[in-house]
Amino acid sequence: MNENSLKITAIIPALNEEKNIEEALLRTLAGFNRYNLNGTIVVVNDGSTDHTPAIVKDMAKAEPRIKLISHDRPRGIGAGFWTGVDNAEGDFVVMIPGDNESDPWEIFRYAPLM
């Protein structure tokens, strides 16, 4: 646990993102660390048919801030977001796409304003 009392949940919806999910998770964790945030990541696997869930499970074994929830079939990014919200902890949530297109640091740098 770090010094920041704010708790943030980063929701990462992912559908067949085996090429991108590891880097998205690493960048999100680095953002938590850089801004000293008390954060967790909820990856919502939206029925992936590739290795996305296996990659997340492996990373979660070594990193307790990562949680995986899986839909049995694709339900869409909106459903993935709301599943993440239902499993979020803390003061606020953000969504970070599982395709690693967005830089979490750009979101987290505003956390001190909260």
Side-chain angles (χ1 to χ4, degrees):
M1 186 84 64
N2 60 38
E3 299 169 14
N4 193 328
S5 62
L6 282 178
K7 181 143 178 72
I8 182 173
T9 299
I11 300 167
I12 301 183
L15 173 61
N16 295 328
E17 293 294 350
E18 69 183 5
K19 293 179 182 175
N20 302 307
I21 194 67
E22 182 175 2
E23 187 64 23
L25 290 169
L26 291 173
R27 290 174 71 187
T28 302
L29 292 167
F32 287 161
N33 295 339
R34 178 178 182 182
Y35 293 105
N36 196 32
L37 297 173
N38 181 9
T40 58
I41 301 170
V42 175
V43 177
V44 181
N45 169 46
D46 196 30
S48 294
T49 57
D50 66 359
H51 294 101
T52 298
I55 293 166
V56 176
K57 283 180 190 176
D58 284 347
M59 292 183 73
K61 288 177 188 174
E63 177 52 72
R65 295 179 289 178
I66 299 172
K67 293 173 30 176
L68 174 66
I69 298 167
S70 289
H71 290 164
D72 57 347
R73 59 180 172 73
R75 296 183 183 168
I77 195 167
F81 173 75
W82 287 111
T83 296
V85 169
D86 289 343
N87 290 275
E89 304 170 352
D91 303 299
F92 63 102
V93 300
V94 298
M95 187 176 81
I96 299 170
D99 62 5
N100 196 33
E101 187 175 286
S102 301
D103 189 345
W105 291 13
E106 291 299 318
I107 297 168
F108 297 153
R109 72 183 183 153
Y110 297 102
L113 299 175
M114 303 297 277

